[in-house]
Amino acid sequence: MKLELNTPGLLFPAISFLLLPYTNRYLTLANLIRSLQQQWEAEMHPRHLAQIQVLRRRVHLIRWMTTFVVLAMLCNVVCIMALFEDWEAIARPLFILAMVSLVISLSISLYEIQLSTKALNLQLGAMDDPT
């Protein structure tokens, strides 16, 4: 099957739109961490330790999510450039790498969402037991 120029062209906006929610997650997480730091300085509490561990893991995951989606974008752009030059032998592996990077990024995102739910449950648990 011949790789047409419009195939990676269709992937381009999808990858671009993923960067926005990833950036929003990062910014939201940064605000949560700053808020938690203020709470920690005002009153150190053992329940904060569990929240800190989850937040640290989520920051790490968001970094990898963003890394893989940017890798997908770069591979996709170079793939389009290769197709313009009729270098299909180069374009095909780049397109496959872009797709694999996108799948990895989405998989990490799914895991990060699960951790986010865990963090919310920790917060709800703290409200159940305010001690």
Side-chain angles (χ1 to χ4, degrees), residues 70-85:
V70 168
L71 178 63
M73 176 69 86
L74 289 172
C75 289
N76 200 48
V77 169
V78 176
C79 173
I80 291 171
M81 290 169 42
L83 286 172
F84 270 125
E85 296 296 326

Side-chain angles (χ1 to χ4, degrees), residues 32-65:
L32 284 171
I33 291 169
R34 288 182 184 104
S35 172
L36 186 61
Q37 180 186 12
Q38 290 173 350
Q39 290 175 16
W40 177 268
E41 290 171 355
E43 169 195 359
M44 289 186 249
H45 198 280
R47 74 171 178 259
H48 290 140
L49 295 176
Q51 291 173 336
I52 290 169
Q53 290 172 343
V54 171
L55 290 171
R56 187 181 312 273
R57 182 73 180 140
R58 288 181 62 203
V59 167
H60 183 75
L61 290 171
I62 290 172
R63 180 182 64 188
W64 283 108
M65 287 167 23

Side-chain angles (χ1 to χ4, degrees), residues 84-95:
F84 270 125
E85 296 296 326
D86 289 325
W87 297 337
E88 190 169 343
I90 295 171
R92 229 174 231 288
L94 284 169
F95 182 71

